Amino acid sequence: MESPTPSPLSGVTLHGRVLIGARVGGDGSVSVHEGHDTVADQPVTVTLLGPEPAADPAIAHAFLGRAQTFAGLTAPNLVRVLGDGQDGEHVYAVTEHTPGDTLAEVLGGGERGLRYSPHMALSIVADVLAALHPAHDEGLVHGALSPDNVVLDDDGGVTVTGFRLVGVEEATPRTDVHAVGMLLHTLLTGALRAADSAPLRPSATVPGLPPDLDMLVANATEPNPRYRPRDAGQYLTLVEQVLRSLPRPQDPAAATQPIPVAGSDAETGPSAHRAGDGTDEDRPAPWRRFPVLAAAGVLVLALFAAGWALAPDEAVELPDLAGFSPEMAEAELAALELDLSFTYEDAYSDGVEPGEVASTDPAAGTELEAGGSVVLALSVGPRHVGVPDVVGGTENEARNLLREAGFTVVEVVQEHSAEETPGTVLSSEPEAGETGDREETVTLHVSEGVIVPDLMGMGRTEASDALGGIGLSVTVVEAPSGSVPEGGISGQDPEPGAILPEDGTVTITVSTGPEEVVVEPEEPEEAEEEPAEPEEGPDDDAEQESQGASCSGESWDPRTVYDEGDRVHFGGRVYEARWWIQGIPPTVGGEWGAWSDQGPC
């Protein structure tokens, strides 16, 4: 980590709250500063987007979007994002302060560096992977992991910092896995830098290390990404298996052991050749890449099942994407560098959660060609599921329960019943608790009553007459609609085909036309000398707030992108966007949020 240096931004306060201090890191696209939250009275870290990228709306939006996504992640070893925003020309993200020393500082001080015992090194790496795991699950990558952004506190806790918020378009989870492999090599050998032209083996620098450690480092630092573990979660599984197989150190004080850090002369000598010079002689035989301890059999099977078996470079096989989220599957396909196209379809699956990849076409293991296409089948859950108990409820309630269970084809048969009121479900086929096929029809036997007609497309008067003609009452509500003309029926409850008793009620929604958009008048330019303002009466504030917070404007829509200054109404209140935002409700974030509460409607 860089030492604090003076900065022209020192002393600037963001949104009247965060005071920027000395610069402590960064690159050409961002700068990292010490900071202080003057409201919470606590130290923070401020990441500022550089002036040139901040002037590009697309880059600024991407920066803020990634910051907001990271803010939603929870991991014990992950630095927390406290807030983000845009104050004038400054686009920023605020993270918690992480006291302690970076691994680069711990391992690189003095003429002789430090290395960790295998058990301690794997423990640190496991904590790092545990922080990366939830980010990879959300399709996010760190993009710049190194010993400079892994912080150790006085209690031995590990915190991962320095997530890149811009410039990570080409990075994938396998990029982070490679960085963790390099980190593990550093922890085991004390060498802060190593050549990455061939898989690394720490035993080449520190003889006598267990072969399992060579396997973990070599697989993660393999130059070809497709031979690495696919993400932090998969690599963490292997690390934990090896960690459990190692004996615990008898003396905790011996966890770090001083050894010489290889200099430039050592890197060009025989030891450097042993560590990997890219020759065929140096590259270990395939079986040497796998563990030879007690857990060897399990790990080898896991590696082959994941598609990591070494294959000729010219043969690129489709990896097994089952269980991946769509975002992670797309990242895996992009990492193959074959310019593949992909489409989605739905598929039943007994073992894969809904929304995740159930299978692919072509199947996993198939050799791919550049420019080919892949169909990703997303799970909609199992095809055969238990039929819910709908007997005794109304026909409308039964339809909702069946729909939630995955049954979409429902047929209703009316039967006379002297005991049940009209519209009550008497039985179902299949019966409650039986396994039903979601592709097949579920038949509901319902006590005789009045069948609700389809009112969509009718006018208000026509719909009311149609219901009154069959003995049903009408309740009318009005709501704006962009697709139904004013006065037309835009909705009804219960839905067409439902059965009600003869005195039942149907609620119809009548369109009032498109929602009115209120354009805020532009404020007049300030005069050179402002006239004295009249004294306000006791109710002036309330009247002004009411006039400035009309609920007749645009309601919040999760699919709309809002820019700074845009106003919406939500939950009876008016909110104004502080910066670019999409998908975040106005009530989320509080004083750190992207929305400013303008008062009630």
Side-chain angles (χ1 to χ4, degrees):
M1 180 180 294
E2 296 181 16
S3 300
T5 57
S7 168
L9 294 174
S10 295
V12 173
T13 301
L14 300 172
H15 281 126
R17 173 166 185 164
V18 179
L19 179 65
I20 300 177
R23 187 180 188 275
V24 295
D27 54 25
S29 59
V30 299
S31 59
V32 182
H33 300 257
E34 294 177 343
H36 189 82
D37 182 350
T38 59
V39 174
D41 191 22
Q42 64 181 18
V44 294
T45 299
V46 182
T47 301
L48 284 166
L49 190 59
E52 185 174 341
D56 187 328
I59 297 177
H61 290 175
F63 177 96
L64 296 173
R66 281 177 61 84
Q68 291 159 16
T69 304
F70 275 118
L73 298 180
T74 55
N77 308 107
L78 186 65
V79 65
R80 290 191 304 122
V81 177
L82 302 176
D84 60 86
Q86 183 168 0
D87 187 356
E89 62 183 10
H90 303 306
V91 179
Y92 68 89
V94 180
T95 57
E96 63 181 347
H97 174 63
T98 51
D101 295 323
T102 68
L103 281 176
E105 294 169 335
V106 172
L107 297 174
E111 295 180 358
R112 293 166 64 86
L114 297 175
R115 72 174 174 88
Y116 282 94
S117 68
H119 191 278
M120 183 63 67
L122 289 180
S123 297
I124 293 173
V125 165
D127 286 344
V128 171
L129 291 168
L132 296 175
H133 188 11
H136 286 183
D137 284 347
E138 292 296 324
L140 299 170
V141 296
H142 186 290
L145 184 69
S146 72
D148 288 308
N149 39 50
V150 177
V151 180
L152 303 180
D153 61 28
D154 293 338
D155 299 325
V158 176
T159 303
V160 178
T161 67
F163 275 83
R164 289 190 63 86
L165 299 178
V166 290
V168 292
E169 292 77 10
E170 302 300 324
T172 70
R174 283 191 166 102
T175 305
D176 285 348
V177 168
H178 184 275
V180 175
M182 299 289 287
L183 178 66
L184 180 55
H185 183 268
T186 295
L187 294 172
L188 293 169
T189 65
L192 289 175
R193 285 171 291 276
D196 58 358
S197 58
L200 298 177
R201 291 182 291 131
S203 66
T205 303
V206 182
L209 289 177
D212 278 8
L213 299 178
D214 275 354
M215 177 276 301
L216 286 176
V217 175
N219 275 283
T221 59
E222 166 64 52
N224 192 325
R226 70 175 182 267
Y227 297 148
R228 303 172 196 160
R230 68 171 179 254
D231 57 21
Q234 197 165 43
Y235 196 31
L236 178 60
T237 299
L238 293 177
V239 168
E240 289 177 334
Q241 287 176 334
V242 175
L243 183 59
R244 287 192 295 268
S245 73
L246 294 178
R248 283 185 170 274
Q250 297 298 319
D251 182 9
T256 58
Q257 306 161 13
I259 65 166
V261 177
S264 58
D265 293 339
E267 290 176 359
T268 58
S271 62
H273 178 75
R274 290 196 304 270
D277 62 3
T279 64
D280 292 337
E281 226 173 49
D282 172 70
R283 186 182 289 266
W287 64 269
R288 293 284 295 171
R289 304 280 299 284
F290 299 94
V292 294
L293 298 179
V298 176
L299 290 178
V300 171
L301 289 176
L303 292 172
F304 274 101
W308 302 348
L310 297 183
D313 285 345
E314 59 270 12
V316 179
E317 294 183 353
L318 178 64
D320 185 1
L321 303 178
F324 279 45
S325 67
E327 295 78 13
M328 291 300 296
E330 291 179 16
E332 288 292 302
L333 294 176
L336 299 178
E337 299 181 351
L338 292 177
D339 193 24
L340 299 171
S341 63
F342 46 85
T343 56
Y344 291 99
E345 65 179 24
D346 292 336
Y348 293 112
S349 175
D350 293 330
V352 177
E353 292 295 321
E356 296 179 349
V357 176
S359 61
T360 58
D361 183 15
T366 302
E367 291 188 9
L368 299 173
E369 296 181 358
S373 61
V374 177
V375 178
L376 300 172
L378 300 184
S379 170
V380 293
R383 175 169 176 169
H384 298 87
V385 297
V387 177
D389 187 2
V390 296
V391 175
T394 66
E395 182 260 339
N396 201 46
E397 294 170 343
R399 285 180 180 270
N400 290 334
L401 288 174
L402 291 169
R403 190 178 294 114
E404 291 174 2
F407 297 99
T408 57
V409 184
V410 179
E411 182 179 286
V412 175
V413 176
Q414 292 199 63
E415 295 182 358
H416 175 73
S417 173
E419 295 81 16
E420 301 292 345
T421 58
T424 302
V425 178
L426 305 175
S427 62
S428 66
E429 298 176 8
E431 296 182 355
E434 292 183 352
T435 300
D437 186 340
R438 293 168 58 185
E439 291 288 328
E440 300 295 332
T441 301
V442 175
T443 302
L444 299 178
H445 296 266
V446 181
S447 58
E448 290 180 328
V450 180
I451 300 177
V452 177
D454 185 356
L455 306 172
M456 302 300 292
M458 295 184 181
R460 177 173 182 168
T461 301
E462 182 184 2
S464 298
D465 291 345
L467 294 173
I470 55 177
L472 297 176
S473 301
V474 182
T475 298
V476 178
V477 296
E478 295 182 341
S481 173
S483 58
V484 178
E486 182 178 357
I489 305 301
S490 60
Q492 67 177 88
D493 183 30
E495 62 190 64
I499 296 176
L500 295 178
E502 293 183 356
D503 58 351
T505 300
V506 176
T507 300
I508 59 174
T509 302
V510 178
S511 170
T512 58
E515 187 174 22
E516 179 183 359
V517 178
V518 176
V519 179
E520 296 284 343
E522 293 185 1
E523 296 184 1
E525 295 184 359
E526 295 184 359
E528 293 184 0
E529 294 185 3
E530 296 183 0
E533 296 182 1
E535 295 185 1
E536 296 182 354
D539 295 328
D540 284 353
D541 287 343
E543 181 179 355
Q544 289 176 3
E545 180 181 74
S546 174
Q547 292 174 349
S550 173
C551 268
S552 62
E554 180 182 1
S555 61
W556 177 75
D557 184 347
R559 295 165 295 184
T560 299
V561 174
Y562 297 101
D563 286 315
E564 180 181 0
D566 289 347
R567 288 196 172 196
V568 299
H569 61 80
F570 183 83
R573 303 185 71 83
V574 173
Y575 295 86
E576 181 176 286
R578 291 194 175 104
W579 52 81
W580 173 90
I581 190 70
Q582 179 183 23
I584 305 297
T587 54
V588 172
E591 59 183 333
W592 276 107
W595 295 98
S596 173
D597 191 341
Q598 301 297 304
C601 297

